Amino acid sequence: MSCSRRNFLKDAAGAAFVSSLPLSAFVILTTEEAKAAVAAATVRWGYLVDTNKCTGCGMCVKACKNENEIPYDAPVTRTWVERYVVTKDGTTHIDSPDGGRDGFTSDKIRDEEVDPENIAKAFFVPKLCNQCDNPACVQVCPVGATYKTEDGVVLIDREWCIGCGYCIMACPYGVRFFHPDHKVADKCNFCYHRITKGMMPACVESCAFGARRLANLRDPDDPVTKIITTERVAVLKDEYGTKPHVFYLGLDNNVR
Amino acid sequence: MKRHVLHPLWVAVGVVGLIFLARLVLVPDDFGVHGDSFTYNYYRLGNIDEWKNFPVKYQGSDTCVECHKDNVRTHRRSPHKRVQCENCHGPAASHPDDIEYLPLNRERAMCLRCHADLDYPESSARSNLPAIVDRHHKRRRECVTCHNPHDPREDVE
């Protein structure tokens, strides 16, 4: 038996390539499985934020932290409320003390007085995970610990996450953070444990003003879906191509 | 083939074999592509149920009716009807089984979340709420000494 150096290198390269493929790369769905996947997809969760209605009471942030066991005093939160105050000279003042957890009870912004006579407009913008169709955070996960479910929600597997933080850096909306207790990445999941039981997310339930609402985008009769499909809504950072599924009514150009 | 070629080759094959073996042991059976995209749907299926089983804490105002009929009735016909009971009383998950008395939060700060005057233009949703200036409105007394939190229209003296 002879073995030229050329052949050996060829075989070795081939073997290295094959062994580097994960086994699951070869999984091919049978027709039945593929059909089942499509049929099951009767739900695609979306979310509507009406910035015209938000009063900045912060009850949503408080409810979210309690419901999802996010350490109450740690500087992390799954959802937060930003305040925008635009003065007549065009400057925008933005703040979100403790994510808006205790509401906005002072008219000072970052210890700065803004003369009320000088304010052109002021509004509050709740932010949360956009449950993107092309989630950048999922693409970068090196271990398959974060993924998109069939109903469109991006979840994090706390058993599997190694806490590397790539996803936290990858999210263009900055919704991910490091959970101080579980030592894994964490973010809003539309209260997956509630919406799969037919309940509303804690933030939606706690909003007295109807500024936050949940939609099943696959159900054309869903009243919130109707608003999203028939009224003028906007999404954040559309240019990133992430296809976010949190829609905003009355979104101002100052909001990034 | 010469020994100096075969020897490292076997070592390499052995290492690859070990990796597969380790993968077999360490990676759960339900780990794989569950959906149509390798990029977005490559995960451990069991995790979905783990999230579904996460405990619910906020029960919603409708569940209070059973035991607090009077409060609910007062609240439902008041301007505060849109404000959920648990916004002011905290999550009622283990109430009344483990936590017999939900806290009665009488702090001014709780009411000021909605009622602190921020002096914003009409277009701000905040301007539609009845507002008071904390410094000037009956300082250092709990709001509920004068206002009924379940129906703030009553009992103002």
Side-chain angles (χ1 to χ4, degrees), chain A residues 99-136:
Chain A
R101 185 195 75 185
D102 302 325
F104 296 80
T105 52
S106 161
D107 42 18
K108 280 191 188 164
I109 297 190
R110 299 176 190 272
D111 288 327
E112 197 192 324
E113 276 314 336
V114 184
D115 177 13
E117 293 299 309
N118 217 353
I119 298 175
K121 52 182 168 183
F123 50 90
F124 299 93
V125 182
K127 296 250 180 103
L128 68 164
C129 174
N130 284 282
Q131 317 295 357
C132 304
D133 244 359
N134 295 331

Side-chain angles (χ1 to χ4, degrees), chain A:
Chain A
M1 184 179 144
S2 76
C3 177
S4 68
R5 181 147 82 173
R6 184 198 179 88
N7 277 339
F8 170 72
L9 286 177
K10 250 166 75 180
D11 292 349
F17 174 69
V18 170
S19 61
S20 69
L21 280 175
L23 279 185
S24 49
F26 298 107
V27 175
I28 293 167
L29 291 181
T30 63
T31 329
E32 281 69 39
E33 279 174 322
K35 271 188 192 146
V38 176
T42 52
V43 179
R44 201 314 174 189
W45 298 113
Y47 198 97
L48 180 67
V49 176
D50 189 344
T51 58
N52 296 311
K53 291 184 176 157
C54 182
T55 62
C57 69
M59 289 296 188
C60 49
V61 181
K62 175 185 168 191
C64 173
K65 285 201 140 186
N66 286 330
E67 177 73 28
N68 294 298
E69 297 171 19
I70 308 301
Y72 203 67
D73 293 315
V76 291
T77 177
R78 286 185 173 190
T79 184
W80 67 97
V81 179
E82 294 170 356
R83 164 165 64 179
Y84 291 75
V85 173
V86 185
T87 47
K88 285 178 181 156
D89 61 3
T91 349
T92 313
H93 305 261
I94 308 171
D95 76 341
S96 183
D98 292 325
R101 185 195 75 185
D102 302 325
F104 296 80
T105 52
S106 161
D107 42 18
K108 280 191 188 164
I109 297 190
R110 299 176 190 272
D111 288 327
E112 197 192 324
E113 276 314 336
V114 184
D115 177 13
E117 293 299 309
N118 217 353
I119 298 175
K121 52 182 168 183
F123 50 90
F124 299 93
V125 182
K127 296 250 180 103
L128 68 164
C129 174
N130 284 282
Q131 317 295 357
C132 304
D133 244 359
N134 295 331
C137 54
V138 174
Q139 284 174 28
V140 300
C141 180
V143 295
T146 184
Y147 56 95
K148 207 174 83 190
T149 59
E150 244 154 41
D151 44 18
V153 176
V154 175
L155 295 179
I156 297 163
D157 186 341
R158 285 187 172 167
E159 300 278 306
W160 214 244
C161 176
I162 56 172
C164 70
Y166 284 177
C167 55
I168 299 173
M169 306 303 286
C171 174
Y173 307 99
V175 303
R176 286 187 173 232
F177 58 89
F178 195 70
H179 196 295
D181 292 347
H182 297 285
K183 314 288 183 212
V184 294
D186 201 80
K187 69 162 189 70
C188 157
N189 56 19
F190 283 178
C191 284
Y192 203 65
H193 58 298
R194 296 174 67 92
I195 59 179
T196 47
K197 292 185 186 70
M199 305 171 89
M200 283 293 136
C203 53
V204 173
E205 177 139 331
S206 63
C207 184
F209 307 101
R212 311 177 72 124
R213 302 175 76 182
L214 185 78
N216 174 8
L217 300 171
R218 293 255 160 75
D219 176 4
D221 297 325
D222 185 314
V224 185
T225 301
K226 277 187 183 156
I227 298 178
I228 294 171
T229 50
T230 60
E231 292 187 28
R232 280 148 287 186
V233 292
V235 293
L236 294 170
K237 296 183 180 160
D238 196 21
E239 66 276 17
Y240 282 63
T242 48
K243 300 215 174 74
H245 276 62
V246 173
F247 301 91
Y248 286 84
L249 275 169
L251 195 67
D252 190 86
N253 220 15
N254 284 297
V255 182
R256 289 279 169 264

